[in-house]
Amino acid sequence: MSKLSYDAITSLDRRYLWHPYSALSPQQINYPVASAQGCTLKLADGRELVDGMASWWCAIHGYNVPELNTAVTEQLDDMAHVMFGGLTHQPAALLAEKLVSITPENLQSVFFSDSGSVSVEVAMKMAMQYWHSKGHPHKQKFATVRNGYHGDTFAAMSVCDPVTGMHSLFNDTLTPQFFAERPACRFGESCDGDDILSLKTILQAHADEIAAVIIEPVVQGAGGMWFYSADYLKQLRALCDQHNVLLILDEIATGFGRTGKLFACEHAGIAPDIMCVGKSLTGGYMTLAATLSSSEISQSISQGEPGIFMHGPTFMANPLACHVALRSIELLLSSPWQDRIDAIEQQLRRELATCETSPQVQDVRILGATGVVEMKQAVDMHRLQRRFVELGVWIRPFGKLIYLMPPYIISSEQLSRLTAAIHSVVKDF
Ligand SMILES: *Cc1c(COP(=O)(O)O)cnc(C)c1O
């Protein structure tokens, strides 16, 4: 394949392409990547960057992973895709079995979709259809906490933080939901009764219209990279049971080891009624997500009115994606992933915690393979981005947050490059 130059790609990009949360503007800077290997991104002009983002939580094994490359070609020889209506296949069957075996025991059925946002839509529909089948058709609303992030489609957006999610732009179309205060108790601390009071008050007053509480367990990701007490989740589980409200856990960012447990709900020892996974499900190779639910929910929907679940994406259970996901999970489970994440966490504590002494820094927090430096003021993302690229690293800050979530296979030398770059940027502030 002939390769375009760095400038040729950039010029086409500026002319035609939208990027996530960006303007279409000639001033936009997006760096062309020609290839990626291990923990390194290689730009089209030959510069190499150590990757601190794992492509937004996804590339847990790094890039160009031999086992996953093989998985793609293996599956290509059989078929890239077939429709899932009336047909089924080995990759979906084996992946479903694997997901059920590694997630909380009560989760027994799997709905595959093509992105995290869609898996959240599916979870919300499942909760609504469940209550409909139980003779409670008025339970159609959702409760959540502030500073959450669940995706960019409309129902998912309705439960994102109303401020950072820019609800005001879409107000006439967005369903109003119930928002409690974000959990204030930090991860590792216990959680006194007051913290859950805000959510408790909502459930006490409105449980008859609420289908489910939806929340990211332990780590709030794109809504502010906040790590809260597992104790809060325990109390939330009890509260949901008490008020006849389902619990949906969005493990799209936290699943597959990122927080030090395979799934973040394990920190609290609780199980949701419905759980969403995505992002690192395929090791960052392609887009796939899944919504898992308890038998109680799937049975009730299947036996109630109208007796079917009302969703069915064209690319549902895409065989290529399912096969790669299965191999990615096998690769993760056969690797010393807990030791790796533990080592990343220890190193982040040693090398990042000292940022806290800077007068510009509000807070440093570290959990598993994620490290966050929260500044007192919003950073100039484009300026910082340029500086990081000059320093040979790929780190993309947002708002007040400069953060790392590298592939689990990162070496300690590479991780030190990332933390040194953050120190350098913080010092320049
Ligand atoms: C990224 C993310 C989503 C949305 O997933 P997409 O694949 O981008 O649609 C939903 N919830 C959480 C917690 C996420 O981090």
Side-chain angles (χ1 to χ4, degrees), residues 85-244:
L87 298 175
T88 191
H89 44 76
Q90 175 173 320
L94 288 181
L95 178 59
E97 181 187 50
K98 176 62 85 184
L99 285 173
V100 165
S101 77
I102 62 175
T103 51
E105 217 173 290
N106 66 316
L107 301 174
Q108 292 289 325
S109 12
V110 183
F111 189 104
F112 286 118
S113 56
D114 20 32
S115 76
S117 302
V118 176
S119 78
V120 168
E121 302 276 329
V122 166
M124 293 171 78
K125 275 185 169 179
M126 269 183 192
M128 292 159 84
Q129 270 201 248
Y130 171 72
W131 289 116
H132 192 274
S133 74
K134 287 278 176 192
H136 297 286
H138 301 299
K139 283 166 85 75
Q140 301 249 319
K141 293 267 180 106
F142 293 84
T144 186
V145 293
R146 290 183 182 273
N147 291 79
Y149 179 77
H150 298 286
D152 290 348
T153 52
F154 269 88
M157 206 166 37
S158 77
V159 287
C160 287
D161 184 82
V163 180
T164 57
M166 300 279 280
H167 280 208
S168 56
L169 273 177
F170 308 107
N171 246 346
D172 289 347
T173 306
L174 273 188
T175 310
Q177 311 285 16
F178 296 101
F179 289 92
E181 295 310 314
R182 90 167 178 188
C185 43
R186 287 174 166 257
F187 184 81
E189 294 172 0
S190 67
C191 200
D192 66 34
D194 282 1
D195 217 8
I196 198 126
L197 204 61
S198 166
L199 197 46
K200 190 176 183 171
T201 312
I202 290 171
L203 292 186
Q204 277 168 345
H206 302 285
D208 58 339
E209 358 161 19
I210 295 175
V213 170
I214 179 167
I215 194 167
E216 297 154 277
V218 173
V219 172
Q220 290 190 294
M225 301 293 286
W226 174 247
F227 310 151
Y228 65 90
S229 168
D231 213 21
Y232 183 94
L233 281 178
K234 266 192 213 156
Q235 296 178 28
L236 176 59
R237 176 71 271 185
L239 209 55
C240 287
D241 290 341
Q242 190 188 338
H243 289 282
N244 253 342

Side-chain angles (χ1 to χ4, degrees), residues 26 115 166 172 293 299 354 414:
S115 76
M166 300 279 280
D172 289 347
S293 74
Q299 289 302 317
T354 44
Q414 287 171 318

